[in-house]
Amino acid sequence: PEAEDAPLLDLTALSDTLLFAELAAMTRSPEEYLGRQVRMQGQLAVYRANPALGIDCFYAVVVQDATACCQQGLEFVWEGDLPEEGTELLVTGRYEAYDFGGLPSYHLVAESVEVSS
């Protein structure tokens, strides 16, 4: 089926190992996920960007692996206010492509951002 017709990809229902595998697959083959609704829980991470590119910050919801040595996550955009960095969030949105300085990039266009525990 088309990604838009596919069921919600609920990453919160996956074990740590499967979650990291799914995030890696999204990085390797993002076109297979375009238009798909995704739900992910993790900590809010804020990455400073170059204001010359017209972007001050990137936001991501990230998870640690079982040994806490590595993290992976999904960039997201949200029009509303966000809590402080490190807050645990549940983000649901549509996985979409965007142009970043001539390079294809991918993020969740958030439909909801909730503080979780």
Side-chain angles (χ1 to χ4, degrees), residues 1-110:
E2 291 293 318
E4 292 86 358
D5 299 330
L8 168 71
L9 176 56
D10 189 353
L11 299 176
T12 66
L14 302 179
S15 69
D16 290 346
T17 302
L18 289 175
L19 172 59
F20 267 70
E22 193 71 39
L23 290 171
M26 291 176 81
T27 302
R28 277 193 318 273
S29 303
E31 61 283 346
E32 293 180 21
Y33 294 87
L34 287 176
R36 185 123 186 230
Q37 190 174 32
V38 178
R39 178 181 297 135
M40 183 170 168
Q41 183 171 339
Q43 289 188 344
L44 172 61
V46 180
Y47 300 98
R48 308 293 173 241
N50 184 343
L53 297 172
I55 298 172
D56 293 327
C57 296
F58 293 100
Y59 301 97
V61 57
V62 298
V63 291
Q64 301 285 335
D65 72 353
T67 62
C69 77
C70 306
Q71 66 179 14
Q72 268 190 304
L74 287 177
E75 178 187 345
F76 70 93
V77 292
W78 174 246
E79 295 298 322
D81 293 330
L82 290 170
E84 68 181 55
E85 188 171 6
T87 300
E88 191 80 9
L89 297 178
L90 178 64
V91 178
T92 303
R94 197 145 312 269
Y95 195 63
E96 296 186 3
Y98 70 98
D99 179 75
F100 181 65
L103 298 173
S105 295
Y106 305 89
H107 59 200
L108 284 182
V109 175

